[in-house]
Amino acid sequence: MRAFPVRMPSGSVYWTVLDDELQVVEAADRFLMNVRLSKDRAESTTKSYAGAIAMFLRWCVTTGRDWHTAARDLSSFILWLKWQPGRSEGRTTVVPGPGAKPVRGARRINGILVAVRGFLAHAVTEREVPGWVLEQLYQLGDSRDLPLQAQSEDGRLRYRLQAQHRLQEEEAEVDRASDEEIVAMFRACRSARDRLLVLLLSRVGLRRGQAAGLRRSDVHLLMDSAALGCRVEGAHLHVVRRQNPNQAWSKSRRPVVLPVDFLVVQAFDQYALERHERLGAAGSDLLLVNLFREPLGSPVTPDAIGETVASLARRAGLERKIAPHMMRHAMASNVADSGGTLDEIQMLLGQKHPDSARPYLHPAASRLRAAIDRVPSPREMSEMGVR
Protein backbone atom coordinates (compact mmCIF):
# COMPACT_ATOMS: atom_id res chain seq x y z
CA MET A 1 0.00 0.00 0.00
CA ARG A 2 1.26 3.44 -0.87
CA ALA A 3 0.04 7.00 -1.37
CA PHE A 4 0.13 8.35 -4.92
CA PRO A 5 -0.64 11.80 -6.41
CA VAL A 6 -3.33 12.22 -9.08
CA ARG A 7 -3.41 15.27 -11.35
CA MET A 8 -6.83 15.94 -12.87
CA PRO A 9 -7.42 17.69 -16.23
CA SER A 10 -8.44 20.87 -14.36
CA GLY A 11 -4.97 21.02 -12.82
CA SER A 12 -6.16 20.14 -9.32
CA VAL A 13 -4.14 17.48 -7.50
CA TYR A 14 -5.18 15.04 -4.84
CA TRP A 15 -3.59 11.90 -3.40
CA THR A 16 -4.99 8.40 -3.57
CA VAL A 17 -3.95 4.93 -2.37
CA LEU A 18 -2.51 2.14 -4.51
CA ASP A 19 -2.34 -1.49 -3.41
CA ASP A 20 0.63 -3.83 -3.84
CA GLU A 21 -0.52 -4.54 -7.41
CA LEU A 22 -0.45 -0.78 -8.13
CA GLN A 23 -4.24 -0.78 -8.46
CA VAL A 24 -6.29 2.10 -7.05
CA VAL A 25 -8.13 1.27 -3.82
CA GLU A 26 -11.53 2.48 -4.96
CA ALA A 27 -13.05 3.18 -1.54
CA ALA A 28 -10.04 5.22 -0.44
CA ASP A 29 -9.95 7.04 -3.78
CA ARG A 30 -13.59 8.14 -3.50
CA PHE A 31 -13.05 9.39 0.04
CA LEU A 32 -9.88 11.33 -0.83
CA MET A 33 -11.43 12.87 -3.93
CA ASN A 34 -14.40 13.93 -1.80
CA VAL A 35 -12.06 15.55 0.74
CA ARG A 36 -10.23 17.46 -2.00
CA LEU A 37 -13.14 18.55 -4.19
CA SER A 38 -16.33 18.50 -2.11
CA LYS A 39 -14.78 19.76 1.14
CA ASP A 40 -12.24 22.06 -0.55
CA ARG A 41 -9.32 20.77 1.51
CA ALA A 42 -5.71 21.29 0.49
CA GLU A 43 -3.70 18.82 -1.58
CA SER A 44 -1.35 18.41 1.39
CA THR A 45 -4.32 17.26 3.48
CA THR A 46 -5.14 14.48 1.02
CA LYS A 47 -1.46 13.53 0.95
CA SER A 48 -1.42 13.15 4.72
CA TYR A 49 -4.74 11.28 4.72
CA ALA A 50 -3.65 8.95 1.90
CA GLY A 51 -0.49 8.01 3.79
CA ALA A 52 -2.51 7.29 6.94
CA ILE A 53 -5.10 5.18 5.10
CA ALA A 54 -2.31 3.27 3.34
CA MET A 55 -0.85 2.37 6.75
CA PHE A 56 -4.26 1.25 8.00
CA LEU A 57 -4.82 -0.97 4.96
CA ARG A 58 -1.25 -2.33 5.23
CA TRP A 59 -1.93 -3.26 8.86
CA CYS A 60 -5.13 -5.02 7.82
CA VAL A 61 -3.28 -7.07 5.18
CA THR A 62 -0.35 -7.83 7.48
CA THR A 63 -2.57 -9.04 10.34
CA GLY A 64 -5.12 -10.84 8.14
CA ARG A 65 -8.00 -8.49 8.93
CA ASP A 66 -10.78 -7.31 6.64
CA TRP A 67 -10.63 -3.52 6.59
CA HIS A 68 -14.43 -3.34 6.39
CA THR A 69 -14.72 -4.68 9.95
CA ALA A 70 -11.28 -3.90 11.40
CA ALA A 71 -12.61 -0.89 13.34
CA ARG A 72 -13.32 -3.17 16.31
CA ASP A 73 -9.56 -3.71 16.63
CA LEU A 74 -8.33 -0.11 16.41
CA SER A 75 -6.64 -0.52 19.79
CA SER A 76 -4.38 -3.13 18.20
CA PHE A 77 -3.80 -0.76 15.28
CA ILE A 78 -2.63 1.92 17.73
CA LEU A 79 -0.19 -0.54 19.28
CA TRP A 80 1.07 -1.46 15.80
CA LEU A 81 1.54 2.21 14.92
CA LYS A 82 3.44 2.82 18.12
CA TRP A 83 6.02 0.09 17.56
CA GLN A 84 5.97 -0.96 13.90
CA PRO A 85 8.91 0.62 12.02
CA GLY A 86 8.20 2.37 8.74
CA ARG A 87 9.59 1.07 5.47
CA SER A 88 12.29 3.72 5.54
CA GLU A 89 13.61 2.37 8.83
CA GLY A 90 15.23 -0.60 7.10
CA ARG A 91 13.54 -3.18 9.32
CA THR A 92 10.06 -4.65 9.40
CA THR A 93 9.79 -6.28 12.82
CA VAL A 94 8.32 -4.79 15.97
CA VAL A 95 11.06 -4.05 18.50
CA PRO A 96 9.55 -2.89 21.81
CA GLY A 97 11.08 -3.55 25.20
CA PRO A 98 12.30 -1.76 28.34
CA GLY A 99 13.57 1.68 27.46
CA ALA A 100 12.63 1.39 23.78
CA LYS A 101 11.48 4.57 22.11
CA PRO A 102 8.16 4.38 20.22
CA VAL A 103 8.43 4.73 16.46
CA ARG A 104 5.55 7.24 16.36
CA GLY A 105 4.44 9.67 19.02
CA ALA A 106 0.92 10.38 20.26
CA ARG A 107 0.48 13.43 18.02
CA ARG A 108 1.39 11.47 14.87
CA ILE A 109 -0.84 8.53 15.82
CA ASN A 110 -3.80 10.81 16.54
CA GLY A 111 -3.34 12.39 13.11
CA ILE A 112 -3.44 8.97 11.48
CA LEU A 113 -6.57 8.05 13.42
CA VAL A 114 -8.35 11.22 12.22
CA ALA A 115 -7.84 10.13 8.61
CA VAL A 116 -8.85 6.52 9.30
CA ARG A 117 -12.04 7.56 11.10
CA GLY A 118 -12.96 9.86 8.23
CA PHE A 119 -12.31 7.09 5.70
CA LEU A 120 -14.40 4.50 7.55
CA ALA A 121 -17.22 6.95 8.31
CA HIS A 122 -17.37 7.85 4.61
CA ALA A 123 -17.51 4.13 3.78
CA VAL A 124 -20.46 3.77 6.18
CA THR A 125 -22.39 6.53 4.41
CA GLU A 126 -21.73 4.78 1.10
CA ARG A 127 -22.87 1.50 2.70
CA GLU A 128 -19.60 -0.24 1.95
CA VAL A 129 -19.12 -1.18 5.60
CA PRO A 130 -21.68 -2.07 8.31
CA GLY A 131 -23.35 0.72 10.24
CA TRP A 132 -22.10 -0.61 13.59
CA VAL A 133 -18.59 0.54 12.60
CA LEU A 134 -19.57 4.08 13.65
CA GLU A 135 -20.13 2.79 17.18
CA GLN A 136 -16.55 1.54 17.20
CA LEU A 137 -15.24 4.91 16.01
CA TYR A 138 -17.26 7.36 18.11
CA GLN A 139 -18.99 7.63 21.45
CA LEU A 140 -21.73 10.06 22.46
CA GLY A 141 -20.46 13.13 24.29
CA ASP A 142 -21.78 16.57 25.17
CA SER A 143 -20.69 20.18 24.79
CA ARG A 144 -19.58 20.75 28.39
CA ASP A 145 -15.93 20.06 27.60
CA LEU A 146 -15.86 22.45 24.63
CA PRO A 147 -14.45 26.02 24.83
CA LEU A 148 -17.05 28.66 25.65
CA GLN A 149 -16.90 29.99 22.09
CA ALA A 150 -17.95 26.59 20.76
CA GLN A 151 -20.88 26.15 23.16
CA SER A 152 -24.40 27.23 22.31
CA GLU A 153 -25.35 30.82 23.13
CA ASP A 154 -28.52 29.75 24.94
CA GLY A 155 -26.51 27.63 27.39
CA ARG A 156 -28.35 24.44 26.48
CA LEU A 157 -26.51 21.14 26.54
CA ARG A 158 -25.65 19.83 23.09
CA TYR A 159 -24.68 16.28 22.26
CA ARG A 160 -21.94 15.36 19.82
CA LEU A 161 -19.78 12.46 18.73
CA GLN A 162 -16.40 11.99 20.40
CA ALA A 163 -13.59 9.83 19.06
CA GLN A 164 -13.36 6.47 20.82
CA HIS A 165 -9.59 6.23 20.34
CA ARG A 166 -7.33 9.17 21.09
CA LEU A 167 -3.95 9.27 22.82
CA GLN A 168 -2.97 11.92 25.33
CA GLU A 169 -0.58 14.35 23.65
CA GLU A 170 2.13 16.31 25.37
CA GLU A 171 1.88 20.07 25.10
CA ALA A 172 3.96 20.92 22.04
CA GLU A 173 4.61 24.65 22.17
CA VAL A 174 6.11 26.25 19.10
CA ASP A 175 8.80 28.73 20.08
CA ARG A 176 9.15 32.08 18.36
CA ALA A 177 12.22 33.13 16.43
CA SER A 178 13.98 35.89 18.34
CA ASP A 179 14.57 39.32 16.83
CA GLU A 180 18.31 38.66 16.93
CA GLU A 181 17.88 35.43 14.96
CA ILE A 182 15.69 37.11 12.35
CA VAL A 183 18.17 39.98 11.91
CA ALA A 184 21.04 37.49 11.56
CA MET A 185 19.11 35.59 8.88
CA PHE A 186 18.25 38.83 7.09
CA ARG A 187 21.94 39.76 6.98
CA ALA A 188 22.80 36.28 5.69
CA CYS A 189 20.56 36.77 2.63
CA ARG A 190 22.37 36.98 -0.71
CA SER A 191 19.47 38.22 -2.79
CA ALA A 192 16.66 40.74 -2.61
CA ARG A 193 14.19 37.89 -3.04
CA ASP A 194 15.38 36.14 0.12
CA ARG A 195 15.33 39.40 2.08
CA LEU A 196 11.74 39.95 0.99
CA LEU A 197 10.89 36.39 2.00
CA VAL A 198 12.30 36.91 5.51
CA LEU A 199 10.20 40.05 5.93
CA LEU A 200 7.03 38.43 4.57
CA LEU A 201 7.35 35.67 7.16
CA SER A 202 8.60 37.66 10.16
CA ARG A 203 7.06 41.12 9.65
CA VAL A 204 3.84 40.38 7.78
CA GLY A 205 3.31 36.99 9.43
CA LEU A 206 2.51 34.94 6.33
CA ARG A 207 2.52 31.17 6.37
CA ARG A 208 4.90 29.66 3.84
CA GLY A 209 1.98 28.48 1.69
CA GLN A 210 0.57 32.01 1.66
CA ALA A 211 3.94 33.51 0.72
CA ALA A 212 4.44 31.00 -2.10
CA GLY A 213 0.90 31.64 -3.35
CA LEU A 214 1.19 35.44 -3.61
CA ARG A 215 0.65 36.79 -7.12
CA ARG A 216 2.00 40.10 -8.35
CA SER A 217 -1.58 41.35 -8.67
CA ASP A 218 -2.08 40.71 -4.93
CA VAL A 219 0.50 43.35 -4.03
CA HIS A 220 -0.81 46.93 -3.70
CA LEU A 221 1.96 49.25 -2.52
CA LEU A 222 0.40 52.64 -3.36
CA MET A 223 -1.09 54.87 -0.71
CA ASP A 224 -4.26 54.96 -2.84
CA SER A 225 -5.05 51.82 -4.88
CA ALA A 226 -8.36 53.06 -6.30
CA ALA A 227 -6.84 52.97 -9.79
CA LEU A 228 -6.38 49.22 -9.31
CA GLY A 229 -10.02 48.78 -8.30
CA CYS A 230 -9.11 48.42 -4.60
CA ARG A 231 -10.53 50.69 -1.91
CA VAL A 232 -8.13 49.61 0.86
CA GLU A 233 -5.93 52.52 1.91
CA GLY A 234 -2.17 52.27 2.30
CA ALA A 235 0.29 49.59 1.23
CA HIS A 236 -1.12 46.09 1.69
CA LEU A 237 -1.28 42.51 0.43
CA HIS A 238 -4.31 40.44 -0.56
CA VAL A 239 -4.03 36.83 0.62
CA VAL A 240 -6.45 34.74 -1.43
CA ARG A 241 -7.10 31.02 -1.31
CA ARG A 242 -6.77 29.67 -4.85
CA GLN A 243 -5.37 26.77 -6.85
CA ASN A 244 -1.74 27.51 -7.73
CA PRO A 245 0.64 25.64 -10.06
CA ASN A 246 3.21 25.28 -7.26
CA GLN A 247 0.61 23.68 -4.97
CA ALA A 248 0.77 26.65 -2.58
CA TRP A 249 -2.39 26.96 -0.52
CA SER A 250 -3.73 29.54 1.91
CA LYS A 251 -5.12 27.91 5.03
CA SER A 252 -7.65 30.72 5.50
CA ARG A 253 -10.82 30.13 3.47
CA ARG A 254 -11.71 33.82 3.33
CA PRO A 255 -9.60 36.50 1.61
CA VAL A 256 -7.43 38.50 4.00
CA VAL A 257 -5.99 42.01 3.56
CA LEU A 258 -2.72 42.58 5.44
CA PRO A 259 -1.04 45.97 5.80
CA VAL A 260 2.71 46.24 5.21
CA ASP A 261 5.18 48.84 6.45
CA PHE A 262 7.93 50.81 4.69
CA LEU A 263 10.56 48.08 5.24
CA VAL A 264 8.47 45.55 3.34
CA VAL A 265 7.70 48.11 0.61
CA GLN A 266 11.42 48.78 0.16
CA ALA A 267 12.11 45.05 0.00
CA PHE A 268 9.44 44.68 -2.69
CA ASP A 269 11.02 47.49 -4.74
CA GLN A 270 14.49 45.92 -4.54
CA TYR A 271 13.13 42.49 -5.47
CA ALA A 272 11.22 43.94 -8.44
CA LEU A 273 14.48 45.38 -9.81
CA GLU A 274 16.34 42.12 -9.21
CA ARG A 275 13.60 40.08 -10.87
CA HIS A 276 13.48 42.41 -13.89
CA GLU A 277 17.27 42.21 -14.32
CA ARG A 278 17.12 38.40 -14.31
CA LEU A 279 13.89 37.74 -16.19
CA GLY A 280 12.67 40.94 -17.77
CA ALA A 281 8.91 40.73 -18.19
CA ALA A 282 8.99 36.92 -18.31
CA GLY A 283 8.34 34.45 -15.55
CA SER A 284 5.33 33.27 -13.63
CA ASP A 285 2.58 35.58 -12.40
CA LEU A 286 3.36 34.32 -8.92
CA LEU A 287 5.47 36.76 -6.95
CA LEU A 288 8.33 34.60 -5.66
CA VAL A 289 10.10 32.74 -8.46
CA ASN A 290 13.40 30.99 -9.18
CA LEU A 291 16.04 33.54 -10.15
CA PHE A 292 19.27 31.61 -9.72
CA ARG A 293 18.60 28.05 -10.83
CA GLU A 294 16.58 26.28 -13.47
CA PRO A 295 13.84 26.49 -14.37
CA LEU A 296 14.22 30.28 -14.18
CA GLY A 297 10.97 32.12 -13.59
CA SER A 298 9.13 29.11 -12.19
CA PRO A 299 7.26 29.74 -8.93
CA VAL A 300 8.90 28.94 -5.61
CA THR A 301 7.19 26.07 -3.74
CA PRO A 302 6.26 26.02 -0.03
CA ASP A 303 8.86 23.28 0.56
CA ALA A 304 11.51 25.45 -1.11
CA ILE A 305 10.64 28.27 1.31
CA GLY A 306 11.22 25.92 4.23
CA GLU A 307 14.57 24.88 2.76
CA THR A 308 15.57 28.52 2.21
CA VAL A 309 14.77 29.45 5.81
CA ALA A 310 16.75 26.47 7.11
CA SER A 311 19.67 27.41 4.85
CA LEU A 312 19.63 31.02 6.06
CA ALA A 313 19.66 29.86 9.68
CA ARG A 314 22.72 27.70 9.01
CA ARG A 315 24.48 30.45 7.06
CA ALA A 316 23.80 32.89 9.90
CA GLY A 317 25.45 30.49 12.35
CA LEU A 318 22.37 30.07 14.53
CA GLU A 319 22.54 27.38 17.20
CA ARG A 320 19.09 25.96 16.49
CA LYS A 321 16.83 25.24 13.54
CA ILE A 322 14.40 27.96 12.53
CA ALA A 323 11.16 27.07 10.77
CA PRO A 324 8.94 29.52 8.83
CA HIS A 325 6.16 29.16 11.42
CA MET A 326 8.52 30.35 14.17
CA MET A 327 8.88 33.61 12.26
CA ARG A 328 5.08 33.98 12.14
CA HIS A 329 5.06 33.51 15.92
CA ALA A 330 7.70 36.25 16.18
CA MET A 331 5.51 38.68 14.25
CA ALA A 332 2.49 38.08 16.51
CA SER A 333 4.58 38.38 19.68
CA ASN A 334 6.18 41.62 18.52
CA VAL A 335 2.78 43.13 17.81
CA ALA A 336 1.64 42.15 21.33
CA ASP A 337 4.82 43.54 22.93
CA SER A 338 4.23 46.81 21.05
CA GLY A 339 0.77 47.19 22.60
CA GLY A 340 -1.33 45.35 20.01
CA THR A 341 -4.61 43.92 21.25
CA LEU A 342 -5.74 40.33 20.76
CA ASP A 343 -8.34 41.25 18.13
CA GLU A 344 -5.69 43.15 16.15
CA ILE A 345 -3.32 40.19 16.26
CA GLN A 346 -6.15 37.88 15.25
CA MET A 347 -6.91 39.96 12.15
CA LEU A 348 -3.23 40.34 11.21
CA LEU A 349 -2.81 36.56 11.40
CA GLY A 350 -5.98 35.99 9.38
CA GLN A 351 -7.52 33.93 12.18
CA LYS A 352 -11.26 33.35 12.44
CA HIS A 353 -11.52 33.36 16.25
CA PRO A 354 -9.62 35.51 18.80
CA ASP A 355 -8.56 32.47 20.82
CA SER A 356 -6.80 31.06 17.75
CA ALA A 357 -4.20 33.81 18.11
CA ARG A 358 -3.29 33.01 21.72
CA PRO A 359 -0.77 30.21 20.97
CA TYR A 360 1.19 32.71 18.86
CA LEU A 361 1.83 35.05 21.78
CA HIS A 362 5.20 34.78 23.51
CA PRO A 363 5.49 37.81 25.85
CA ALA A 364 8.96 39.31 26.10
CA ALA A 365 10.67 38.84 29.46
CA SER A 366 10.92 42.63 29.80
CA ARG A 367 7.15 42.96 29.40
CA LEU A 368 6.53 40.33 32.09
CA ARG A 369 8.99 42.10 34.40
CA ALA A 370 7.24 45.43 33.77
CA ALA A 371 3.90 43.83 34.63
CA ILE A 372 5.25 42.70 38.01
CA ASP A 373 6.87 46.09 38.69
CA ARG A 374 3.51 47.81 38.15
CA VAL A 375 2.04 46.00 41.17
CA PRO A 376 2.31 48.29 44.25
CA SER A 377 4.40 47.15 47.21
CA PRO A 378 2.65 46.49 50.58
CA ARG A 379 4.01 49.81 51.91
CA GLU A 380 2.58 51.73 48.95
CA MET A 381 -0.72 49.95 49.39
CA SER A 382 -0.86 50.85 53.10
CA GLU A 383 -0.13 54.49 52.30
CA MET A 384 -3.11 54.46 49.94
CA GLY A 385 -5.28 53.22 52.79
CA VAL A 386 -5.50 49.64 51.56
CA ARG A 387 -5.10 46.93 54.21
Side-chain angles (χ1 to χ4, degrees):
M1 300 291 176
R2 55 172 295 191
F4 191 81
V6 178
R7 182 176 297 276
M8 293 177 285
S10 64
S12 297
V13 178
Y14 75 98
W15 287 67
T16 190
V17 178
L18 304 183
D19 62 19
D20 292 337
E21 303 297 326
L22 300 183
Q23 299 296 314
V24 174
V25 180
E26 295 294 340
D29 185 74
R30 286 192 295 273
F31 166 66
L32 293 165
M33 183 181 292
N34 180 69
V35 169
R36 181 69 177 93
L37 301 181
S38 299
K39 297 186 178 181
D40 194 29
R41 304 294 291 275
E43 176 206 339
S44 58
T45 299
T46 64
K47 180 179 180 180
S48 175
Y49 280 17
I53 295 169
M55 276 192 280
F56 171 70
L57 297 177
R58 190 183 312 139
W59 168 72
C60 292
V61 172
T62 302
T63 58
R65 289 179 169 87
D66 181 355
W67 72 264
H68 298 82
T69 57
R72 60 162 63 98
D73 297 325
L74 279 186
S75 297
S76 297
F77 178 52
I78 292 174
L79 187 65
W80 184 86
L81 287 174
K82 191 173 183 179
W83 296 108
Q84 178 66 35
R87 293 183 176 181
S88 60
E89 300 289 331
R91 51 190 172 88
T92 58
T93 56
V94 178
V95 188
K101 183 179 179 180
V103 176
R104 300 174 185 88
R107 184 179 181 86
R108 172 67 176 135
I109 293 175
N110 284 336
I112 293 172
L113 292 176
V114 168
V116 172
R117 282 194 295 266
F119 166 56
L120 293 177
H122 182 265
V124 169
T125 61
E126 292 200 335
R127 299 188 178 182
E128 292 189 76
V129 301
W132 57 260
V133 167
L134 282 180
E135 300 174 8
Q136 301 294 321
L137 301 176
Y138 300 101
Q139 61 185 354
L140 190 63
D142 57 54
S143 57
R144 285 177 294 185
D145 62 335
L146 293 176
L148 291 176
Q149 293 81 358
Q151 297 185 20
S152 59
E153 295 182 359
D154 58 10
R156 296 176 60 185
L157 190 66
R158 305 291 185 187
Y159 292 97
R160 63 191 180 93
L161 293 178
Q162 291 179 324
Q164 287 274 22
H165 305 84
R166 182 174 177 82
L167 301 184
Q168 186 68 34
E169 299 180 21
E170 294 183 3
E171 291 284 338
E173 183 177 347
V174 178
D175 194 10
R176 59 158 291 177
S178 69
D179 293 339
E180 294 76 13
E181 289 169 332
I182 293 172
V183 170
M185 293 170 63
F186 186 83
R187 289 176 174 171
C189 293
R190 296 173 180 171
S191 68
R193 185 201 63 185
D194 290 353
R195 288 192 291 271
L196 173 60
L197 174 61
V198 170
L199 292 179
L200 288 175
L201 298 176
S202 64
R203 203 159 180 88
V204 184
L206 296 183
R207 295 183 175 93
R208 63 177 184 173
Q210 293 173 330
L214 278 178
R215 297 177 183 265
R216 287 185 279 184
S217 57
D218 296 333
V219 181
H220 296 170
L221 303 182
L222 301 176
M223 293 304 297
D224 184 355
S225 299
L228 303 175
C230 177
R231 297 185 178 181
V232 180
E233 297 182 356
H236 61 276
L237 307 176
H238 291 265
V239 179
V240 182
R241 191 182 197 186
R242 57 166 72 95
Q243 181 68 39
N244 292 306
N246 59 350
Q247 308 309 320
W249 191 260
S250 175
K251 190 174 181 180
S252 176
R253 292 180 180 271
R254 60 187 178 87
V256 180
V257 177
L258 301 177
V260 298
D261 64 6
F262 73 98
L263 288 177
V264 179
V265 172
Q266 288 183 346
F268 267 111
D269 290 341
Q270 294 173 5
Y271 170 62
L273 291 174
E274 180 181 73
R275 173 171 172 154
H276 184 75
E277 290 175 356
R278 303 285 299 182
L279 302 176
S284 170
D285 180 52
L286 271 78
L287 179 69
L288 299 175
V289 297
N290 289 332
L291 297 180
F292 309 103
R293 61 182 179 184
E294 297 293 340
L296 293 178
S298 63
V300 168
T301 65
D303 288 343
I305 288 179
E307 294 169 2
T308 299
V309 170
S311 176
L312 290 174
R314 291 193 300 268
R315 193 183 304 159
L318 302 184
E319 297 180 353
R320 62 172 182 162
K321 295 181 179 179
I322 301 295
H325 213 60
M326 296 170 66
M327 303 169 77
R328 177 174 164 87
H329 278 247
M331 173 268 180
S333 297
N334 285 336
V335 172
D337 291 337
S338 301
T341 60
L342 188 60
D343 63 326
E344 293 171 342
I345 298 169
Q346 169 207 343
M347 295 302 294
L348 290 173
L349 292 175
Q351 302 281 9
K352 186 176 181 180
H353 300 292
D355 278 353
S356 300
R358 293 188 186 277
Y360 289 85
L361 305 185
H362 307 265
S366 59
R367 186 154 66 96
L368 297 177
R369 171 58 60 186
I372 291 297
D373 291 341
R374 288 196 297 269
V375 178
S377 68
R379 176 175 296 179
E380 292 173 337
M381 296 175 69
S382 64
E383 292 174 353
M384 292 185 294
V386 180
R387 295 181 179 272

